[in-house]
Amino acid sequence: MRPLIGFKTLLTSSFLMISMLYILYSSNLLLTNDHHGCSLSLDLSSEDNLAAVNNFSSTLRLNEDDKGGEGDEESLKTIVSLPRGHNGSTLSSNTSSSVRTRRNEPLPEIRISGDTSKFKYTNRQGQRAALRISRVVSETLRLGMKDVRWFVMGDDDTVFIVDNVVRILSKYDHRQFYYVGSSSESHVQNIYFSYAMAYGGGGFAISYPLAEELAKMQDKCIQRYPGLYGSDDRMQACMAELGVPLTKEPGFHQYDVYGDLLGLLGAHPVTPLVSIHHLDVVEPVFPRMTRVRALRHLFESVQHDSASIMQQSICYDKRRSWSISVSWGYVVQVVRGVISPRELEMPTRTFLNWYRRADYTAYAFNTRPVMKHPCQKPFIYYMNSVRSPRRDCCRILPSRKSSVLYIWVGNCRKGEISGT
C-alpha cells in the first residue's frame, strides 16, 4: 500500500506544481521586462505616449477649473451642451442654413418652464422636475419662433457635435413625423425603461410637425403616466400614443457606463459621432488631461473634419504581422498578430456597466475582453495633432527606420478591402 500512496502523493504534488506555474505565468510574474517571445519592433522610446487599456482608475478627478487664455469664449462655442437637466432648455434648429456667431455674443435667452403642480408624480426614485423637462419642447414650440425644422433635446452634461446633428437630421424629411435618437448601451436600463425610447442624455430630435401634435395632447398624456421615472420615458409614452416609433441613429450616445471610453470610441460604428453623455462620470477622453482640456483637444479634430471624427479604419503591416486600428482624430492602436476586422470593430471592455460591474452580458452590443498578456496588449497612441457610410481605408507606407511606422488614412480605392 505504501508505494501506491507515494505514487498518489507524487502525482498530486506534480499537478499542484504545474498549476502554480501556469497561474504565475498567466499573471506575468515569470515574464521579464524584456517580454521574451514578443516581437518588440515598436519604438519603445515613445513609451510615454502609450497607455494600458486596462489601467483606468476607479477614483475620478473633478479638476474642471482649467483657466484658458484670451478668446476662450469663442473656442468654447464648439463644445455645445444642450441642457435638459435643471432648466430644461432645448435647441431649435433650421438645418438648411448656417448659423452666424459673433465674438462675445450673449447666451440664448433663458426662460423658466411652466408650473407643473397640477400633474401627478408618484415615482419614489425620481424627481418632479421630470414633468417640467418633458414639457419643454411643447413650451418652446409655443414661443412661435420662425423657420424651425427640428427641436433637439439633451442633458446639461451632454456634448453635441452640431455639424453632425445637422448632418444626421438632413437625411430625414422635416415635414414628416420623426422622433430620432438612440437607446442606452445598458441592456438592463433598456429593459427597465424601453428599447423604443430615445434617451435624453444621448439626446434626441423631434420634427416640427410632430412637436405641433405633441403640444396638443402632451398635458393629458403625461397625466396618464404618473409612475414613470423621467422626462424621456414620458416623451416616449406620448410618442407611442401618437403612433410614432423611434428612428434609431447610433451616433447619439447615452453612455451609461463607468471607466474609460477608449473601447467604445476606438471602435465607433460607421456613422457620424453626434453626442457624448456622462462626461462627468467617465475618465477624460484623453489621458493625463482634465475633462475640459480633453474636450478642447478632441474638438481640434472636430473642427478639421467633424464627419470623420472617431471613424474607424483597419489595416495591416504584413511584414511585421501587425494589425492597426485607427479611430480618426482620437487614437491609433497597434496589435501584434493578424486580428480580423470582425474582431477589431468590436469594442474592448475598458469600461464597467452602469452598476459598476464587469459583466459582458450587460450590454446591448457585442464586446471583447481587454487582453492582459504583454504579447496581446495593443500599443496605444493618442492623437497629438491633426494635420461616407463606408469607413476610410488605411495603408502602411514604407519606412527606412524600423522604429517608425507611417500610416495613411483616406478614401478607399475601388475594390479595396481591410484584409491581409
Side-chain angles (χ1 to χ4, degrees):
M1 294 298 292
R2 288 182 181 179
L4 183 60
I5 295 174
F7 175 75
K8 288 184 177 180
T9 303
L10 178 64
L11 186 62
T12 303
S13 300
S14 300
F15 177 76
L16 291 174
M17 183 177 294
I18 293 172
S19 300
M20 288 297 296
L21 288 172
Y22 177 78
I23 293 172
L24 289 172
Y25 179 83
S26 300
S27 61
N28 302 329
L29 294 177
L30 293 182
L31 295 177
T32 65
N33 292 332
D34 297 329
H35 299 306
H36 293 304
C38 301
S39 174
L40 292 180
S41 300
L42 287 169
D43 181 12
L44 296 184
S45 64
S46 57
E47 190 174 359
D48 289 340
N49 295 325
L50 302 178
V53 295
N54 61 329
N55 289 339
F56 58 82
S57 172
S58 59
T59 304
L60 302 181
R61 291 173 294 176
L62 298 174
N63 298 331
E64 304 303 341
D65 53 348
D66 262 15
K67 295 184 179 180
E70 186 177 352
D72 275 355
E73 291 185 9
E74 188 175 56
S75 64
L76 281 173
K77 292 179 73 65
T78 61
I79 304 177
V80 181
S81 177
L82 308 180
R84 187 185 61 94
H86 299 295
N87 60 5
S89 302
T90 59
L91 169 75
S92 55
S93 65
N94 182 336
T95 59
S96 64
S97 60
S98 59
V99 178
R100 295 183 179 180
T101 60
R102 299 184 304 274
R103 187 179 180 84
N104 298 325
E105 69 176 292
L107 292 171
E109 182 180 359
I110 296 176
R111 290 177 176 265
I112 305 300
S113 56
D115 180 23
T116 58
S117 58
K118 65 178 181 180
F119 297 102
K120 295 180 181 179
Y121 187 86
T122 60
N123 191 293
R124 295 182 178 180
Q125 295 179 320
Q127 298 179 353
R128 284 191 58 87
L131 294 168
R132 292 192 301 103
I133 297 168
S134 64
R135 300 176 71 245
V136 166
V137 170
S138 297
E139 292 181 352
T140 306
L141 174 79
R142 297 187 185 106
L143 296 178
M145 294 182 290
K146 297 181 180 180
D147 299 324
V148 175
R149 295 187 174 186
W150 297 90
F151 292 92
V152 177
M153 200 167 183
D155 275 9
D156 49 8
D157 59 343
T158 304
V159 169
F160 283 87
I161 299 177
V162 177
D163 287 346
N164 287 343
V165 174
V166 174
R167 191 170 279 114
I168 288 295
L169 295 183
S170 63
K171 299 191 305 183
Y172 303 102
D173 185 353
H174 64 277
R175 297 166 296 184
Q176 305 297 323
F177 288 0
Y178 275 107
Y179 168 51
V180 183
S182 190
S183 52
S184 172
E185 292 75 22
S186 169
H187 178 56
V188 176
Q189 290 285 92
N190 289 328
I191 291 176
Y192 182 79
F193 292 99
S194 174
Y195 269 99
M197 183 185 86
Y199 278 70
F204 59 85
I206 295 177
S207 60
Y208 191 89
L210 179 56
E212 287 183 310
E213 293 302 313
L214 175 68
K216 296 175 185 177
M217 54 82 72
Q218 188 175 25
D219 284 355
K220 292 181 179 179
C221 172
I222 60 179
Q223 284 281 44
R224 290 189 279 272
Y225 303 96
L228 294 181
Y229 174 83
S231 60
D232 36 17
D233 49 356
R234 282 177 168 76
M235 189 70 73
Q236 189 273 327
C238 296
M239 292 294 115
E241 292 194 4
L242 288 170
V244 180
L246 172 63
T247 299
K248 288 193 176 182
E249 282 289 346
F252 291 86
H253 294 296
Q254 172 73 8
Y255 282 152
D256 284 335
V257 296
Y258 288 90
D260 193 345
L261 292 180
L262 171 64
L264 292 167
L265 296 179
H268 191 271
V270 185
T271 188
L273 175 68
V274 176
S275 65
I276 306 177
H277 183 222
H278 281 146
L279 288 168
D280 57 333
V281 171
V282 297
E283 294 283 340
V285 289
F286 288 100
R288 295 186 289 275
M289 294 185 184
T290 64
R291 290 174 175 82
V292 172
R293 185 183 171 196
L295 281 175
R296 287 174 177 160
H297 189 52
L298 176 64
F299 269 80
E300 293 173 9
S301 300
V302 171
Q303 290 172 349
H304 277 273
D305 189 351
S306 58
S308 295
I309 191 68
M310 300 296 175
Q311 297 305 296
Q312 186 186 28
S313 301
I314 298 170
C315 56
Y316 300 90
D317 186 336
K318 298 180 182 179
R319 184 172 65 87
R320 298 183 177 93
S321 293
W322 287 349
S323 302
I324 296 128
S325 172
V326 180
S327 180
W328 193 91
Y330 178 50
V331 73
V332 175
Q333 301 184 67
V334 181
V335 189
R336 299 180 186 89
V338 178
I339 313 297
S340 69
R342 183 178 184 273
E343 186 172 354
L344 288 176
E345 70 179 12
M346 197 179 299
T348 52
R349 294 191 288 273
T350 61
F351 46 88
L352 301 175
N353 67 23
W354 193 236
Y355 302 95
R356 296 180 185 269
R357 297 174 183 171
D359 179 9
Y360 72 93
T361 65
Y363 309 112
F365 51 91
N366 297 111
T367 61
R368 57 191 175 102
V370 173
M371 296 301 178
K372 296 183 178 180
H373 195 282
C375 292
Q376 297 174 319
K377 277 185 179 181
F379 287 86
I380 312 238
Y381 294 87
Y382 288 95
M383 291 293 182
N384 182 43
S385 60
V386 179
R387 299 198 182 264
S388 74
R390 181 183 183 183
R391 65 185 174 216
D392 290 335
C393 289
C394 68
R395 305 180 196 120
I396 305 301
L397 301 180
S399 171
R400 295 181 180 180
K401 296 181 178 180
S402 61
S403 62
V404 177
L405 178 67
Y406 292 109
I407 304 174
W408 179 93
V409 178
N411 294 331
C412 298
R413 298 168 181 161
K414 186 176 182 180
E416 185 173 2
I417 64 172
S418 297
T420 57

